[in-house]
Amino acid sequence: MHTERLFDRIDSIQIKGVTKKYGSRFAVKELDMEIHGGELLILIGPSGSGKTTILRMINRMIEQDSGSVIINGLDTRKLDPVRLRRNMGYVIQNIGLFPHMTIGENIGLVPKLEGWEKNRVKERVQYLLDFVSLPTDLFFNRYPRQLSGGQQQRVGLARALAMDPPLLLMDEPFGALDPILRKQLQEEFLKIKMEIGRTIVFVTHDIEEAFRLGDRIAIVDQAKIVQVGPPEELIFNPATKMVSEIVDTERKFKHMDTLNVKDLMSPFDSKYVFDSKMDTCDAVNEMTGRDLETAFIFDNGRLLGRITMVDLMKCRTKTQKLADVVRPLKTFQPLDSVAFALSELKKSGEYLALIMNEDRPSGILVSDEVLLKLI
Ligand code: ADP
Ligand code: MG
């Protein structure tokens, strides 16, 4: 049986007025939410708040009582559920590998059911094992019980990716792992996330994991989403007390007023310095050579602003100078408070600032890095 792809990429998933009840209790109540194509959206909240139910209504393992889930304009109720699920990867904590099947057979199961040629299935499995850092020679013919928990979790991810799905649904995939292994798999997963560029909905109960992986975080409480936004928004503007408790604002950030930017900035390096009179095409080569995405532009020792590689991509003529394309840059002093700097950055929509000691650059402040150092 061959099933066509329903979508090559996700543009958006709209959840509109979705409700699911068990008896008289709401598991999910009148939920409205949009998932953006290409983002990693975290669902986090207390046990029993409705996270798994939300996830499973997206792939129709659970049918909502009312409301609709619209993917790229298609109402999922109008689609065949099996076909829908084959277009989505689903990863759970105890991944339920089939114990009597080898790792290779487990990963290749759906492609085989889809009628792929034997060799094509084998090649795909080899590729995926490599992708999740399990050497094919060692693992292809093993059985699940011969693998560690972390290795099994990798196999679960490989299996979910078998059909190259544009959407991944992950329900506490690292929840059962010890903290060190969890960190390591998170790091690897971040790389995988960049490589595959997929839309991912990810359930966790671990706020650090949420901050580390999430583009946006949705806080789920009592069958509702109480707030959804990027990490900084939850930290600086928690909608409810419960949100601030989850992000643990007070414990983690009470020191923010006493910390100075010099405590959290990255050291400045002269490789970032470019002269405003350099022409833009030369700057492209120079930045490539120095492995830079951003550079700071000075004119006779005076800071003009910054440029990014993207700003320079359109360089054509030899007449355009860096001074012509420079964009403004926020600067702070080493003794400014971190709280002040982060809120100024947020206001200006910037994520990066230069720390100036008198007239000399002494460090770089990157808002994401600061947040990660604080948690
Ligand atoms: P979470 O994943 O956030 O822990 P769930 O989505 O699994 O929460 O569950 C939400 C609520 O729905 C809980 O109160 C749970 O007890 C209830 N629930 C979930 N599945 C069922 C079911 N099959 N029958 C009855 N109640 C259920
Ligand atoms: Mg759950």
Side-chain angles (χ1 to χ4, degrees), residues 177-194:
L177 306 175
D178 72 67
I180 295 171
L181 186 56
R182 196 186 312 163
K183 281 254 152 35
Q184 193 184 327
L185 283 193
Q186 284 167 1
E187 296 299 318
E188 283 181 33
F189 181 68
L190 270 180
K191 279 184 228 149
I192 288 174
K193 176 196 159 189
M194 312 253 196

Side-chain angles (χ1 to χ4, degrees), residues 263-267 364 367-375:
D263 303 319
L264 292 172
M265 68 191 187
S266 314
I364 299 171
S367 59
D368 282 8
E369 261 179 49
V370 170
L371 291 175
L372 279 181
K373 281 180 193 165
L374 285 172
I375 61 178

Side-chain angles (χ1 to χ4, degrees), residues 86-328:
R86 295 246 168 116
N87 280 263
M88 302 176 180
Y90 183 56
V91 187
I92 55 175
Q93 191 176 105
N94 295 306
I95 47 175
L97 295 176
F98 295 108
H100 56 283
M101 286 166 51
T102 64
I103 298 309
E105 287 165 345
N106 265 287
I107 297 174
L109 182 62
V110 171
K112 188 175 160 195
L113 291 175
E114 289 284 327
W116 289 25
E117 292 284 321
K118 218 173 155 193
N119 273 335
R120 187 171 165 219
V121 176
K122 190 170 176 198
E123 273 171 30
R124 181 73 184 149
V125 173
Q126 286 173 340
Y127 169 82
L128 288 164
L129 277 172
D130 183 55
F131 192 60
V132 296
S133 310
L134 294 174
T136 293
D137 295 350
L138 291 179
F139 289 94
F140 197 95
N141 290 315
R142 283 197 192 173
Y143 287 89
R145 66 173 183 283
Q146 299 172 300
L147 270 58
S148 71
Q151 288 165 346
Q152 290 192 28
Q153 212 54 46
R154 289 192 171 98
V155 173
L157 182 59
R159 189 177 61 178
L161 293 171
M163 297 301 291
D164 199 13
L167 177 66
L168 271 182
L169 305 174
M170 307 183 72
D171 197 345
E172 308 208 27
F174 309 137
L177 306 175
D178 72 67
I180 295 171
L181 186 56
R182 196 186 312 163
K183 281 254 152 35
Q184 193 184 327
L185 283 193
Q186 284 167 1
E187 296 299 318
E188 283 181 33
F189 181 68
L190 270 180
K191 279 184 228 149
I192 288 174
K193 176 196 159 189
M194 312 253 196
E195 262 182 77
I196 62 178
R198 291 291 184 254
T199 307
I200 302 165
V201 187
F202 190 111
V203 172
T204 182
H205 58 259
D206 175 352
I207 188 67
E208 284 193 34
E209 182 166 89
F211 280 141
R212 180 151 306 188
L213 302 179
D215 297 314
R216 289 193 307 152
I217 299 173
I219 309 273
V220 188
D221 188 27
Q222 297 184 16
K224 293 221 160 228
I225 286 184
V226 289
Q227 187 170 12
V228 52
E232 313 81 65
E233 197 171 308
L234 304 183
I235 291 167
F236 293 116
N237 285 314
T240 65
K241 184 144 190 302
M242 188 264 179
V243 174
S244 76
E245 275 165 17
I246 285 199
V247 302
D248 208 354
T249 315
E250 283 182 29
R251 184 171 66 81
K252 283 172 190 138
F253 300 100
K254 71 178 173 201
H255 298 306
M256 221 155 58
D257 281 323
T258 59
L259 277 177
N260 301 321
V261 292
K262 72 170 168 36
D263 303 319
L264 292 172
M265 68 191 187
S266 314
F268 190 77
D269 188 309
S270 59
K271 74 178 177 182
Y272 293 108
V273 176
F274 281 66
D275 190 277
S276 62
K277 290 181 280 300
M278 184 185 260
D279 82 62
T280 50
C281 295
D282 289 345
V284 171
N285 293 326
E286 195 54 38
M287 283 176 72
T288 307
R290 298 187 202 177
D291 198 19
L292 298 178
E293 279 298 317
T294 278
F296 301 107
I297 311 305
F298 288 81
D299 175 35
N300 286 325
R302 185 174 61 92
L303 176 69
L304 285 191
R306 76 175 175 111
I307 52 160
T308 66
M309 196 61 135
V310 178
D311 297 333
L312 301 178
M313 279 325 209
K314 293 190 207 84
C315 87
R316 290 248 160 61
T317 66
K318 284 271 175 189
T319 57
Q320 196 180 42
K321 306 295 178 197
L322 290 181
D324 303 323
V325 296
V326 71
R327 54 166 94 191

